[in-house]
Amino acid sequence: MKRFTSFLFGVILFLWMCFPVMAESELRAVAVELDGSKLAADAYMVDGRTMVPLRAIFERLNATVEWDDVNKAISATKDTKVIWLAIGNTEAKIGGNPVTLDVPPMLIHGQSFVPLRFVSEALGAQVTFDGESSTAKVSTGSSCGAGGQVHSGTISGSGETWGVCGSPHFVKGDFMVEGLESPILTIEAGAVVRFESEASLIIGQSAPGGLVISGTSEKPVVLTADSAGPNAGFWKGIRFFEKTLRGNATIEGARIEYAGGYEGALYLDAATQRMEVTVKNSEWKNTLFAGIQMKGMARLSERSMNLTISGTKTAQEGGGFPIITDLVGSHLLPKGNYTGNDIDSIRITSYQTYDEMKMSTTWSHVGVPYDSDISIVVAGPANPTLTIEPGVVTKWAIDTGIEIGHAEQGGLMAVGTKEKPIVFTAKKDKPGSWTGISFREAADKKNNQLQHVVVEYAINGVTLEDDIGPIVKDAVLRSNKEHGVYMPNYEQGHTDYRTGLNNTFKDNGTDQNME
């Protein structure tokens, strides 16, 4: 018992030394004003320094906060300036440069408190102290006054603009952007929007509506959780539906944090008609299930560019991908950085086990694989073509594959280079794991080519039900369960893919004949 008591005392002493907790008798309450408005939070004078709750002051100064629970540290960002502090540590940083504090951040009544003057001045404000009224006065130099506008329910019929004035903005519940007058929500550069648990923005679900976010690299629009210690999926995200106003669906210069759920942080859903959203120069961090999810006829516009999605977590429903999309949404995904997620792949999916690609589609080389859990049929009255860029890797789930020209015409143009081959592989490195690439009778004879590709781990790497010419060239066909190239209707005089086309056959079940 004595050993346990000594051990417990040691733990308490260690925690007290590392993370100081102030006694009630040591605290002297003071008031804080920000641009003339009283800060609605307790503040205390400690060793001659005004200490305020970290969340309360950072919110009002339009800074976003990341809490490191392991190290009990705070990173706050406003525009491009970052400051760092840690509980119990007198060493802080402004833009990476070390600064020594007179009083360290500390726990008071279970809350994290930070030095008001240091935080305010580091973020560009000025602080004075009125001894007669025991009031610390913070001036940001802004004519806006204190922020804190609250938004709930449905947007006003004439539309709304959320700017730095009134920021941070707080969203409670599902905020509906729609109405008979086709309202548009505009969020200006530098604005911060904080969402309570389960809150979201919903655009164009039951009536027309639009959303235009206009941030910049210097003044991004920040959409984040209204919590000092949020987890991925704290709020539900932004959701666009097919009544979204065409040309008024833009997200530029945004940072989206801690959003998501089974619909993802940015969700696009259009069941019956094409709907496009333009997303540019934006970042997703610490989201749940998916950074972006697209269903039905929804997709990103071709003007979209420069996206960064990292920290996506797997939910109970699965996910963990930076992007999850139906076939329509897989077209021309923008270049960006899609690494650092639970699963660094683009998930291609559908509500059924296969889907038809009825319009021409291009799979861009975005730096991570395309991961399909469905079979894809490229065919339709418009003779669609799936074009795959050099360097793209596609991974196929068990019993899935790709068919070209099933009952109607279709094409597959997979032309890589020697340096950047296109890879068709299985999610499981075992021969026969997926069905392979099949060119059916209706495959377009002019618009099909496999060159500088790798096809592996299929039942038959490439199946040609008809001889449509020497479409497989400079290819590697390996580790397929039966054939590298299978021609069930092979006859003497038809294309022989084993000679003259620079194809390599290796470790397939049989490559002695094509029959």
Side-chain angles (χ1 to χ4, degrees):
M1 183 68 181
K2 289 182 178 179
R3 289 183 178 179
F4 176 76
T5 303
S6 299
F7 170 75
L8 183 61
F9 176 77
V11 170
I12 294 172
L13 179 61
F14 172 78
L15 292 174
W16 179 82
M17 292 175 66
C18 294
F19 309 119
V21 179
M22 297 302 297
E24 187 73 33
S25 59
E26 299 179 74
L27 300 177
R28 179 166 71 89
V30 294
V32 177
E33 290 183 359
L34 180 62
D35 290 331
S37 297
K38 185 176 180 180
L39 188 70
D42 294 332
Y44 301 99
M45 185 68 71
V46 177
D47 292 338
R49 297 299 181 192
T50 304
M51 306 295 289
V52 293
L54 74 88
R55 178 182 166 193
I57 188 61
F58 284 127
E59 280 179 352
R60 294 304 184 264
L61 292 173
N62 296 325
T64 58
V65 181
E66 290 189 14
W67 170 255
D68 179 353
D69 192 54
V70 174
N71 298 304
K72 306 300 180 189
I74 309 111
S75 294
T77 304
K78 182 178 181 181
D79 299 333
T80 58
K81 181 174 286 187
V82 179
I83 65 174
W84 180 90
L85 311 95
I87 301 297
N89 192 345
T90 56
E91 295 300 316
K93 294 179 182 179
I94 302 176
N97 298 314
V99 177
T100 300
L101 305 174
D102 295 330
V103 178
M106 62 185 60
L107 297 177
I108 301 177
H109 303 319
Q111 283 186 288
S112 299
F113 277 64
V114 294
L116 174 67
R117 182 177 295 277
F118 168 76
V119 167
S120 301
E121 293 181 350
L123 295 177
Q126 294 182 338
V127 180
T128 58
F129 190 81
D130 184 343
E132 291 186 7
S133 62
S134 293
T135 301
K137 298 184 178 182
V138 181
S139 175
T140 65
S142 170
S143 59
C144 298
Q149 291 185 9
V150 177
H151 309 274
S152 61
T154 303
I155 192 172
S156 62
S158 58
E160 297 180 13
T161 297
W162 299 355
V164 173
C165 287
S167 186
H169 300 263
F170 295 92
V171 176
K172 297 185 177 298
D174 294 327
F175 186 77
M176 311 298 293
V177 183
E178 59 183 29
L180 297 178
E181 299 178 47
S182 302
I184 298 171
L185 171 60
T186 300
I187 306 180
E188 296 180 338
V192 176
V193 185
R194 296 183 177 274
F195 293 80
E196 71 170 10
S197 178
E198 299 296 308
S200 70
L201 293 179
I202 299 178
I203 298 92
Q205 185 174 40
S206 302
L211 172 66
V212 177
I213 294 177
S214 302
T216 66
S217 57
E218 294 79 17
K219 294 184 177 181
V221 171
V222 178
L223 301 107
T224 189
D226 185 25
S227 170
N231 295 316
F234 180 88
W235 59 289
K236 291 188 290 188
I238 304 172
R239 294 181 279 172
F240 288 91
F241 292 91
E242 63 183 33
K243 292 189 177 180
T244 296
L245 294 171
R246 186 169 298 180
N248 287 287
T250 302
I251 297 175
E252 183 170 5
R255 187 164 72 243
I256 301 172
E257 304 171 331
Y258 305 110
Y262 71 94
E263 292 180 335
L266 175 61
Y267 179 69
L268 282 60
D269 189 353
T272 61
Q273 61 184 1
R274 183 80 61 81
M275 187 262 287
E276 292 187 351
V277 176
T278 298
V279 185
K280 302 169 66 176
N281 305 321
S282 294
E283 179 182 11
W284 284 252
K285 295 175 65 178
N286 301 318
T287 59
L288 187 66
F289 190 73
I292 301 173
Q293 183 173 194
M294 295 174 280
K295 285 189 174 182
M297 300 293 288
R299 70 185 191 185
L300 301 179
S301 79
E302 295 184 14
R303 298 184 301 278
S304 299
M305 59 185 290
N306 191 26
L307 309 186
T308 299
I309 303 178
S310 63
T312 310
K313 304 300 182 184
T314 304
Q316 289 183 347
E317 300 84 1
F321 300 89
I323 297 176
I324 298 175
T325 181
D326 285 0
L327 290 181
V328 171
S330 69
H331 176 62
L332 281 178
L333 291 175
K335 303 294 193 295
N337 186 344
Y338 302 111
T339 60
N341 306 282
D342 278 1
I343 305 175
D344 288 336
S345 298
I346 306 298
R347 167 53 65 89
I348 309 294
T349 191
S350 178
Y351 64 91
Q352 54 192 7
T353 58
Y354 81 97
D355 204 356
E356 295 182 348
M357 184 178 286
K358 295 183 178 181
M359 60 182 67
S360 290
T361 300
T362 297
W363 286 358
S364 307
H365 181 29
V366 295
V368 297
Y370 288 76
D371 178 329
S372 181
D373 71 347
I374 60 170
S375 290
I376 297 174
V377 178
V378 184
N383 189 10
T385 299
L386 171 59
T387 301
I388 303 180
E389 293 184 349
V392 167
V393 175
T394 68
K395 294 186 175 183
W396 300 84
I398 293 175
D399 296 329
T400 67
I402 182 168
E403 292 187 8
I404 311 301
H406 184 62
E408 298 175 294
Q409 283 191 311
L412 172 62
M413 294 294 293
V415 180
T417 66
K418 186 176 181 180
E419 295 75 21
K420 293 183 178 181
I422 296 168
V423 178
F424 297 87
T425 189
K427 292 176 67 175
K428 185 177 182 181
D429 294 347
K430 180 181 178 181
S433 294
W434 65 295
T435 59
I437 306 169
S438 298
F439 293 89
R440 306 295 292 272
E441 296 94 335
D444 181 2
K445 294 185 178 181
K446 296 181 179 179
N447 215 21
N448 281 292
Q449 190 171 357
L450 297 176
Q451 187 170 12
H452 290 297
V453 302
V454 176
V455 186
E456 59 187 9
Y457 301 118
I459 296 174
N460 289 301
V462 178
T463 299
L464 295 122
E465 294 192 357
D466 195 4
D467 188 358
I468 56 176
I471 66 168
V472 183
K473 305 175 183 178
D474 305 305
V476 176
L477 302 115
R478 67 192 179 200
S479 301
N480 297 294
K481 185 176 182 180
E482 297 182 9
H483 298 83
V485 175
Y486 177 51
M487 297 179 70
N489 301 315
Y490 178 77
E491 297 178 4
Q492 195 68 29
H494 283 197
T495 303
D496 186 346
Y497 287 99
R498 294 167 300 181
T499 59
L501 296 173
N502 198 32
N503 293 318
T504 300
F505 294 84
K506 183 179 180 181
D507 297 331
N508 301 297
T510 176
D511 291 316
Q512 299 306 310
N513 54 56
M514 293 178 287
E515 58 183 20

